[in-house]
């Protein structure tokens, strides 16, 4: 009879323990869901890529640069649903940037523009890193979104500056002089090391006062003496 009592007590204890564990798991799951909902709300409210419009001259120059238009469109489209949708969007933006980097039009394919695109690429990869964490760091994600908007605007301003610089009129004869100088240098490689501007007139080199004075030699005339 005593053993039956112990067995019954053990079963009751195990039953209540299971219920407590189940209640604890449900409470933990609910807290995680509430936290994820809060994170999703913060990310959704700050996922704003407000990219300024292109200038008319830049727009005219990149009409066939479809990859840039696709990147801008990808950034401006806000995902919906769970945090997974935002992670997928960040990955899509990275892929679009890679396509932009390999299709830069020849006119804009200069170091100053390539470096700015590389900075945007770095920011996009950092955004994906922080949003792919189990616990999303909302402050990092929000700051990186703002940085990417700024970098994108800087890229567009750089393109506009490159166009304006190319349109600066040169003085009469300047273009011909530059072409002639470049042609001469290419034809004569040794001239590449020579300065293009003549150095200013230099004064005579200073006399070295450390040289010892030589003894004066008697003057000897080379004229023949008259005969006696």
């Amino acid at each position: 009879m005593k053993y039956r009592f112990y067995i019954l007590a053990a079963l009751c204890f195990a039953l209540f323990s299971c219920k407590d564990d189940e209640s604890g798991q449900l409470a933990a799951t609910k807290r995680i869901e509430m936290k994820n909902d809060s994170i999703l709300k913060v990310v959704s409210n700050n996922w704003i890529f407000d990219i300024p419009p292109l200038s008319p001259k830049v727009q005219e120059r990149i009409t066939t640069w479809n990859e840039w238009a696709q990147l801008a469109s990808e950034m401006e489209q806000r995902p919906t649903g769970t945090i997974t949708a935002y992670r997928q969007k960040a990955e899509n933006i990275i892929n679009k940037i890679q396509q932009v980097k390999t299709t830069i039009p020849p006119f804009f394919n200069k170091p100053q523009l390539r470096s700015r695109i590389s900075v945007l690429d770095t920011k996009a990869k950092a955004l994906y890193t922080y949003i792919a964490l189990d616990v999303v760091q909302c402050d990092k994600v929000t700051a990186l979104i703002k940085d990417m908007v700024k970098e994108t605007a800087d890229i567009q301003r750089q393109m506009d500056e490159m166009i304006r610089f190319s349109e600066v009129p040169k003085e009469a004869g300047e273009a011909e002089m530059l072409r002639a100088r470049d042609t001469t240098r290419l034809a004569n490689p040794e001239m590449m090391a020579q300065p293009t501007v003549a150095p200013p007139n230099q004064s005579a080199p200073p006399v070295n006062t450390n040289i010892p004075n030589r003894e004066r030699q008697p003057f000897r005339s080379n004229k023949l003496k008259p005969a006696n």
Side-chain angles (χ1 to χ4, degrees):
M1 191 71 180
K2 183 186 295 185
Y3 291 111
R4 291 181 181 179
F5 173 76
Y6 288 144
I7 293 174
L8 181 61
L11 291 175
C12 291
F13 178 78
L15 179 61
F16 284 114
S17 297
C18 291
K19 289 184 177 180
D20 291 340
D21 292 341
E22 185 178 356
S23 299
Q25 291 178 358
L26 290 175
T29 302
K30 188 175 182 178
R31 286 195 300 269
I32 293 175
E33 290 178 351
M34 291 177 63
K35 188 173 184 178
N36 288 339
D37 290 341
S38 177
I39 291 174
L40 179 60
K41 184 177 180 179
V42 173
V43 172
S44 178
N45 291 337
N46 291 276
W47 195 278
I48 302 173
F49 287 90
D50 190 9
I51 302 174
L54 294 166
S55 67
K57 290 184 178 180
V58 174
Q59 183 66 49
E60 183 180 357
R61 284 272 187 174
I62 64 172
T63 52
T64 58
W65 195 11
N66 297 326
E67 289 76 11
W68 179 260
Q70 293 172 4
L71 171 61
S73 176
E74 189 73 38
M75 294 173 69
E76 291 175 346
Q77 293 175 3
R78 181 182 297 186
T80 57
T82 63
I83 198 68
T84 303
Y86 288 88
R87 292 168 180 166
Q88 184 62 50
K89 173 62 68 173
E91 186 176 359
N92 292 343
I93 290 175
I94 293 174
N95 294 333
K96 295 298 182 182
I97 294 175
Q98 300 306 313
Q99 295 175 9
V100 166
K101 291 174 66 175
T102 58
T103 58
I104 303 175
F107 180 82
F108 295 113
N109 195 3
K110 303 294 189 299
Q112 57 268 35
L113 190 70
R114 292 197 298 267
S115 63
R116 292 188 180 278
I117 296 176
S118 295
V119 172
L120 178 62
D121 183 31
T122 301
K123 298 288 185 181
K125 290 176 180 177
L127 174 64
Y128 177 80
T129 298
Y130 285 112
I131 204 171
L133 296 174
D134 292 337
V135 179
V136 178
Q137 298 187 22
C138 297
D139 55 339
K140 298 290 187 180
V141 171
T142 301
L144 284 167
I145 290 174
K146 294 179 180 179
D147 289 346
M148 290 176 64
V149 172
K150 179 182 177 299
E151 295 299 336
T152 305
D154 288 344
I155 292 172
Q156 296 183 167
R157 280 194 294 268
Q158 182 68 61
M159 289 191 288
D160 188 62
E161 182 179 345
M162 294 169 72
I163 294 174
R164 287 188 289 104
F165 182 79
S166 68
E167 294 175 346
V168 174
K170 294 181 174 61
E171 296 182 2
E174 182 180 355
E176 290 77 5
M177 181 185 67
L178 293 175
R179 284 196 297 268
R181 185 184 65 181
D182 294 340
T183 303
T184 304
R185 287 189 174 187
L186 291 174
N188 299 278
E190 295 180 357
M191 295 183 63
M192 297 294 290
Q194 299 296 329
T196 57
V197 180
N201 294 330
Q202 299 179 355
S203 59
V207 178
N208 190 349
T209 59
N210 296 326
I211 299 176
N213 295 329
R214 297 181 179 180
E215 296 181 357
R216 292 174 176 257
Q217 299 294 331
F219 176 75
R220 295 178 180 180
S221 177
N222 294 328
K223 294 182 180 181
L224 296 177
K225 295 182 179 181
N228 295 331

